[in-house]
Amino acid sequence: MTVKLLMQTQVDDPHVLNDHLKLLYQNAIPGIAITIVASAGLAFGFAEHSTVHYKFIWWLCLSAVVGFRIIDTALWFRRANKGLFSCQNDLYRFGAGVLLTAFLWAFYCVYFYNTSSIDELFSSLVIVSAMAGGAATVLSGNKLLSQIYTLMLLAPFSLQMILGDNPAHLLLGCLGLAYAAVMLSVANAAANFTKNSIMLRNEHNQLLKTMEHKVQQRTEKIIELSQHDSLTQLLNRRSFLAAAKLQLSQIETDSQYAIFFLDLDGFKQVNDNFGHRVGDEVLTEVVKRIKQACQHDEIICRWGGDEFIIMAHQSPLYRFEDLAIALKKHINQAIITTQHVINMDCSIGIAMYPEHGQSISDLISLADLSMYSRKSGGTDDYVMFSGELEQKIKHEMHLSKGIAQAIAEQQLRLVFQPIIDSTTGDIASVEALLRWEFEGNNIPPDVFIPLAEKNGAIKQIGYWVLEESVRHLSALHLLKPQLAICINVSVIQFEDVDFVSKAEQIINQYHVNPSKVHLEITESVFSQDKLKLINMVKALQLLGFMISIDDFGTGYSSLSVIQDLHVNTVKIDRSFINNLHLHGIDIVKAVMVMSHGLGYRVVAEGVENQQQANTLTALGIHYLQGYLFDKPLEFDALTQQLSRHPDEQRSPFLLRSANS
Ligand code: C2E
Ligand code: CA
Ligand code: CA
């Protein structure tokens, strides 16, 4: 217990304690060796008949303690070599051995004092002084221990000499005490120095370890960042390509893999309408859904923006179709962000290894093409790459090259579809519709316009249409001065900052009143920069042009569009006219109600039968367009139609309905 109290070190750090004990045990070996030699010399060198037995017993006791210390030291080194740490108990054991040794030395000096000759006394004092001197360094690993050891060796013996009857011993005793005092101070200084050195060494080690740990953490973070997309934490392009290549290099011969190219539909509108923060929320949620759909170690990557790539392995129990359907199902569920509920859909293209391609980059391109073919009109859940698709893509590329040359090759012409005033049955305007004859075939505008938009040819074609339409209108005004012309303008044309000035230049050139020129824009233009678009529309209206919203009801945020822009005309898409008997009538009614407040005129597109015409006229629709009245006409046929007598010109269909 006393040993424990004495030895309680102030160090909690096991590294520091270990260093202290290491020093103590290492220094113990020479100390023990000297103890063995000195004790034998003293006990047997001055042996007298009366004390020889007692000295032998003393020597046996000291040898037992020394033996215990030797075993303890050997065991400690064995544990230390195994990398085990020291504990407080090691220190207590070591201290007990040292203090017992000191006690036995003190006991010898005091007990045999009266029977000792002056030589023996002197030798004893020299030995314990030397041992105390050595303890200052040998036991510097523990200050208390070294100081108690010194005191135990010297103090009782010196005091006994001072207090004894022999005045000759007084000086020796005083010298012994003085020496003890000096040694205490030396031991104190040595122990402090050792303690500081050990502390510094450990602090240094600790610092090194902390720095190493931090460097390791940073390195891991940098690797992580360089491999993953920061928003979704999915693999980025580079690390996906590396992972996918590795996968392909390790597969068995009959394994089938597929690359899924997944692109979100309408994500751009989400970003434009609700902002990038909502866009990010949607992307994060979509990634969660993709992970839910992928259950079989698929490699998932954010390819960029709203594009994702998944590499999947096909097994007898798990087919690619299952994954495609699961992806669709999960993504189609409404996404609830902090402020909005958003419905997303996606287009998926799939290419298979080894059937469609051997390299990852080929498979990605083919999956991308397949996805794209789904985007441009497909309705299937996913599109698997095929030879047929390859042919279709090649054909599109051929057409794309062709349309870029169409103006120079004089392959374009305009046809004109009359638009009828529902109250008078008169032709109020005509819509200019583009026709392209390419290699002996009439290519439908629904096919070539998107291609021209994609390759940029639409800009030049758009100006050609504008000029041709205005040129024809100026000729038609000779027959019918009130006639207006409706011209389709593509989203891409609105990106051209010169559009307004060029439009102005064309009407000036042909001396046409701009109020007779109706520019038809679809709602898809509103996925562009809204402010820029509103300014452009305003500038055109300021010049006197009329603005129509085409295919109304098929696009995005339909009703807000009408409010934002003071459009002159709204053309209800023919899909609603087709469905008048179902839900189509609701949108027609809604558009009509709003027209009173907002002051726009309404055209119904695709009117094909008398019943539709009657219903629409009864609902107050201002204009009607469709095959019931006229198909798009060649310019000559139109002039013939217009040059007839006004009564004849009037639509017989509406007259019929008016008379009935
Ligand atoms: P759009 O602007 O909606 O043009 C009306 C389309 O509906 C025309 O097809 C027309 O022939 C067709 N249509 C008219 N009445 C009826 C009907 O009663 N029933 C049916 N089933 N269809 C009817 P078209 O000429 O094939 O044009 C298709 C689309 O191509 C146009 O749709 C327009 O978006 C685009 N387009 C045509 N010419 C141009 C152009 O010069 N520039 C631009 N940017 N796009 C054009
Ligand atoms: Ca149109
Ligand atoms: Ca239309």
Side-chain angles (χ1 to χ4, degrees), residues 453 489-496 522 524-528:
E453 283 177 340
V489 178
S490 154
V491 188
I492 316 288
Q493 289 175 262
F494 263 74
E495 285 172 8
D496 189 350
T522 60
S524 61
V525 290
F526 297 97
S527 60
Q528 307 292 307

Side-chain angles (χ1 to χ4, degrees), residues 431-433 486-488 520 522 550-551 571 605 625:
E431 180 173 358
L433 293 160
C486 306
I487 304 166
N488 292 286
E520 295 192 359
T522 60
D550 202 0
D551 304 342
K571 298 185 78 176
E605 296 185 308
Q625 177 183 5

Side-chain angles (χ1 to χ4, degrees), residues 273-406:
N273 287 289
F274 305 128
H276 286 263
R277 205 177 48 76
V278 177
D280 284 354
E281 273 185 74
V282 169
L283 281 179
T284 316
E285 182 58 31
V286 164
V287 168
K288 220 159 96 188
R289 312 264 175 104
I290 292 177
K291 284 183 180 164
Q292 282 167 355
C294 293
Q295 298 282 336
H296 294 81
D297 300 334
E298 289 86 349
I299 306 175
I300 312 170
C301 148
R302 184 175 177 203
W303 193 245
D306 59 347
E307 295 172 341
F308 301 91
I309 291 187
I310 300 155
M311 181 175 183
H313 179 228
Q314 179 153 269
S315 72
L317 292 173
Y318 183 60
R319 298 173 314 125
F320 297 140
E321 288 81 350
D322 300 335
L323 176 57
I325 290 164
L327 284 166
K328 276 293 258 199
K329 197 182 98 191
H330 281 88
I331 291 174
N332 282 351
Q333 281 164 22
I335 294 174
I336 300 157
T337 67
T338 28
Q339 285 177 353
H340 308 273
V341 177
I342 295 168
N343 289 305
M344 288 308 297
D345 200 354
C346 62
S347 299
I348 301 174
I350 309 175
M352 293 207 300
Y353 172 90
E355 207 175 315
H356 300 138
Q358 298 288 325
S359 75
I360 286 293
S361 47
D362 283 356
L363 289 168
I364 291 174
S365 305
L366 298 178
D368 186 11
L369 282 176
S370 311
M371 183 282 296
Y372 197 81
S373 80
R374 193 272 176 191
K375 250 202 190 338
S376 50
T379 51
D380 297 335
D381 280 348
Y382 62 92
V383 175
M384 178 78 77
F385 182 77
S386 63
E388 201 182 313
L389 186 68
E390 194 176 8
Q391 284 308 312
K392 192 178 149 206
I393 292 163
K394 277 186 182 158
H395 179 61
E396 272 188 10
M397 282 165 74
H398 182 60
L399 289 183
S400 177
K401 271 186 201 156
I403 190 67
Q405 314 290 329

Side-chain angles (χ1 to χ4, degrees), residues 167-182:
H169 292 177
L170 181 66
L171 183 65
L172 278 180
C174 288
L175 273 175
L177 273 189
Y179 183 70
V182 171

Side-chain angles (χ1 to χ4, degrees), residues 417 431-435 445-446 449 458 465 488-490 493 520 550-551 574 605-608 626-627 632:
Q417 185 175 32
E431 180 173 358
L433 293 160
L434 191 56
R435 294 291 176 261
D446 290 336
I449 297 282
I458 193 71
V465 170
N488 292 286
V489 178
S490 154
Q493 289 175 262
E520 295 192 359
D550 202 0
D551 304 342
R574 72 165 179 271
E605 296 185 308
V607 182
E608 292 184 352
Y627 294 167

Side-chain angles (χ1 to χ4, degrees), residues 38-39 41-43 45-46 55 105 108-109 116-131 154 157 161 172:
S39 64
L42 206 59
F46 300 94
K55 283 191 178 172
W105 278 117
Y108 182 96
C109 298
S116 298
S117 64
I118 189 71
D119 289 346
E120 187 178 352
L121 205 68
F122 199 73
S123 300
S124 302
L125 188 60
V126 168
I127 287 172
V128 290
S129 297
M131 309 256 322
L154 291 171
F157 189 27
M161 286 193 281
L172 278 180

Side-chain angles (χ1 to χ4, degrees), residues 544-558:
F545 287 100
M546 297 286 150
I547 301 293
S548 307
I549 292 288
D550 202 0
D551 304 342
F552 182 81
T554 56
Y556 215 76
S557 60
S558 307

